[in-house]
Amino acid sequence: MTWSDLIWLAPEIVVALGASWLVLAPFVMRGSGVGAAKWQMLAILAVAGGVLVWASNTVTGMEQSSMFRAMFVLDGFAVFFKLLFVGAIALIVLLSEDFLREARYSPWEYFSLMAFALCGMMFMVSGVHLISIWIGLELLSLSSYVLAGYFKDEAVSTEAAMKYFILGTISSAILLYGMSLIYGVTGSLALMDISRTLSGLLSNDVLVFGIILLAAGLSFKVAAVPFHVWTPDVYVGAPTPVTAFLSTASKAAAFAIFARIFYMGLSEFHLDWSGVIAGIAALSMIVGNLAAITQDNVKRMIAWSSIGHAGYALLGILAMSEAGLIAIVVYMVVYVFATMGIWALVLMLRRREYAGESVADFAGLHARAPLWAFAMVVFLLSLGGIPPTAGFIGKYYLFLAAVGAGYAWLAVIAVLMSAVSMFYYFRLVVAMYLRDDPGAELVGGGSIRLVAAACLLITLGLGVAPQPMLEEVGRSLQSLIAVTLR
């Protein structure tokens, strides 16, 4: 191992060591509670973020590590997503403070699992080899299964974790089978080698079947139809901060590798797999939004909504262009902060010791907390793609990329389903502003309010002045675009 190898892996090493320390900390620091665990987790994230910035300034372009047969890369795409993951996990740590104070379970184990999940996300987004991507994905998945069942004594949480684990295991098997077929045809699992081999092939049924299986496994990770059945039950059964993690950071990581694999390795066979992805995108948008209309539970409503958003984001994969790649990254950024803001508002409300999980819990919120009612409206408008919120920018670039790539019919479906989504989003607005019944008690602590305020400022700021974000995304993706869209 050389000094250069350590530079490439330094952020992951920091997070892995920090996660291991959090497991041992309660035995070393007896009597320390949630506060100590929270600040140590935030310190690990701060150090990891700083090391990542330092490493990114040392390594440039698509230069690859010599470790593990060049399976790892630290390009702008990876750095951008890693910083997004670190920021999202920091917000989730703040969201989790009140929950952990009230729970009967160890905060150290909780934060350790969150750190291991972060390590997996960071590793897989730098993967340029299907095995390194899969290893990172499995580390994320195993941590997520345990986090989903963190309420070990509650049947609904245990049931959610078991469903997630069983279906996740099946999806991993499908993913690996697809990888094996791709390897059998191309003789390699390195994305660049696969791309070079595909450029010399006219057609191959085994390869196409392998790509479809690979897409099916990844579609489970992003909760796209018809691989979505785990999503509503897991979102409802998991602790709300864990649901926030699954619907933001975890989903962004899954889309990052979806884009990496299909843009970098499989673009040469675009015409062979585009029909399957187009069908998945259309079904996700339609089923996700129509099913959300009937939901009274906010967590279940957002779960179905997230399935619809997976369909929107798949438009960027289909576009297979610079505009499409940029649109995916921009959409993930705006989606993460708008959704995180909604979960912060849900956690602020309490009724019979549960978070504000029903539409009725938001009744009359504008009279009790006008700022937070306004914030919820902004987050919902952003998810609906209404200006001047950041969600409008994300959907505009996705729809533009889809039309430019010849998928105008999908863009029309996306616009129609966005209109449908406003119907069920505005059920919450009606409850907050037009109902006077007493809703759930507003009890969220300072950490939760800080997260909600930060997400509100980011969602409005990126909507009003998106140019700095667009320029930064464009700069971050230049090395990947130069290689994949040559």
Side-chain angles (χ1 to χ4, degrees):
M1 180 180 290
T2 66
W3 176 246
S4 296
D5 294 327
L6 288 176
I7 293 175
W8 269 295
L9 287 171
E12 286 77 11
I13 291 172
V14 168
V15 175
L17 290 175
S20 301
W21 160 251
L22 290 172
V23 174
L24 301 174
F27 301 100
V28 177
M29 305 172 58
R30 295 186 182 278
S32 298
V34 175
K38 179 192 77 170
W39 286 113
Q40 289 188 43
M41 180 65 176
L42 291 175
I44 291 168
L45 294 175
V47 173
V51 170
L52 176 59
V53 172
W54 167 73
S56 66
N57 291 330
T58 306
V59 180
T60 58
M62 287 291 293
E63 188 180 3
Q64 291 176 300
S65 168
S66 60
M67 294 181 67
F68 315 122
R69 296 183 181 272
M71 292 181 173
F72 194 86
V73 72
L74 194 63
D75 58 356
F77 179 84
V79 172
F80 187 92
F81 269 104
K82 288 180 184 184
L83 289 174
L84 177 62
F85 299 155
V86 170
I89 295 295
L91 294 179
I92 292 166
V93 169
L94 295 176
L95 285 182
S96 303
E97 184 176 6
D98 286 357
F99 150 73
L100 289 171
R101 290 189 189 282
E102 297 170 6
R104 303 179 300 277
Y105 309 109
S106 168
W108 300 96
E109 294 174 5
Y110 176 87
F111 288 133
S112 176
L113 288 165
M114 200 68 73
F116 278 121
L118 173 61
C119 186
M121 291 189 292
M122 294 175 73
F123 194 84
M124 73 185 191
V125 80
S126 281
V128 288
H129 191 283
L130 291 178
I131 292 300
S132 61
I133 291 173
W134 184 80
I135 290 171
L137 182 60
E138 287 308 295
L139 179 56
L140 165 63
S141 298
L142 290 172
S143 301
S144 300
Y145 301 150
V146 180
L147 285 169
Y150 205 70
F151 283 156
K152 292 171 281 191
D153 296 332
E154 297 189 18
V156 66
S157 184
T158 304
E159 180 184 351
M162 286 302 297
K163 287 180 179 178
Y164 194 17
F165 171 70
I166 293 170
L167 294 175
T169 302
I170 294 172
S171 77
S172 294
I174 293 172
L175 190 70
L176 279 176
Y177 188 31
M179 290 180 181
S180 70
L181 293 178
I182 292 172
Y183 176 77
V185 174
T186 64
S188 177
L189 291 172
L191 295 180
M192 292 304 297
D193 291 342
I194 292 172
S195 180
R196 281 190 289 267
T197 302
L198 295 190
S199 64
L201 292 176
L202 293 178
S203 66
N204 187 295
D205 292 340
V206 174
L207 177 64
V208 172
F209 185 55
I211 293 173
I212 291 173
L213 291 178
L214 180 66
L218 292 174
S219 295
F220 174 88
K221 305 303 180 183
V222 301
V225 175
F227 311 99
H228 66 290
V229 292
W230 61 274
T231 313
D233 289 339
V234 173
Y235 277 31
V236 171
T240 303
V242 175
T243 304
F245 164 72
L246 296 175
S247 62
T248 55
S250 179
K251 186 180 283 284
F255 266 109
I257 60 167
F258 211 133
R260 171 84 79 181
I261 292 171
F262 277 76
Y263 269 81
M264 196 171 176
L266 305 176
S267 59
E268 297 291 344
F269 263 49
H270 178 232
L271 293 178
D272 295 88
W273 54 257
S274 58
V276 174
I277 300 298
I280 291 174
L283 285 173
S284 299
M285 290 185 286
I286 294 170
V287 173
N289 285 294
L290 293 182
I293 292 176
T294 62
Q295 306 302 321
D296 286 319
N297 184 291
V298 175
K299 292 177 76 172
R300 195 172 287 274
M301 180 192 296
I302 299 302
W304 284 107
S305 171
S306 74
I307 294 168
H309 284 282
Y312 301 139
L314 285 174
L315 298 180
I317 303 290
L318 278 169
M320 200 51 58
S321 63
E322 179 177 348
L325 188 57
I326 291 174
I328 293 170
V329 178
V330 170
Y331 197 72
M332 284 299 103
V333 173
V334 300
Y335 175 78
V336 162
F337 288 108
T339 306
M340 192 80 71
I342 289 176
W343 293 125
L345 266 295
V346 169
L347 283 165
M348 273 191 202
L349 301 174
R350 288 286 188 280
R351 174 175 283 176
R352 296 184 299 276
E353 298 182 357
Y354 288 92
E357 295 183 6
S358 71
V359 173
D361 290 335
F362 288 82
L365 184 61
H366 79 286
R368 293 174 288 138
L371 173 61
W372 303 126
F374 170 74
M376 180 58 104
V377 172
V378 170
F379 298 140
L380 295 172
L381 290 177
S382 185
L383 291 184
I386 305 299
T389 63
F392 170 75
I393 305 300
K395 285 193 175 179
Y396 171 78
Y397 277 90
L398 277 176
F399 298 170
L400 195 64
V403 172
Y407 293 96
W409 64 277
L410 271 178
V412 170
I413 292 176
V415 171
L416 292 176
M417 290 302 104
S418 294
V420 169
S421 71
M422 293 311 302
F423 174 80
Y424 58 83
Y425 290 149
F426 265 82
R427 291 179 61 200
L428 283 169
V429 177
V430 168
M432 290 188 296
Y433 284 89
L434 299 181
R435 291 184 189 167
D436 295 326
D437 338 346
E441 183 184 359
L442 196 69
V443 297
S447 296
I448 296 177
R449 294 169 190 249
L450 177 62
V451 172
C455 291
L456 175 62
L457 292 175
I458 292 171
T459 301
L460 284 176
L462 294 181
V464 174
Q467 200 57 36
M469 175 185 63
L470 296 174
E471 292 175 356
E472 180 59 33
V473 170
R475 282 194 299 269
S476 299
L477 298 184
Q478 281 310 303
S479 58
L480 183 58
I481 289 170
V483 171
T484 61
L485 301 174
R486 55 194 181 281

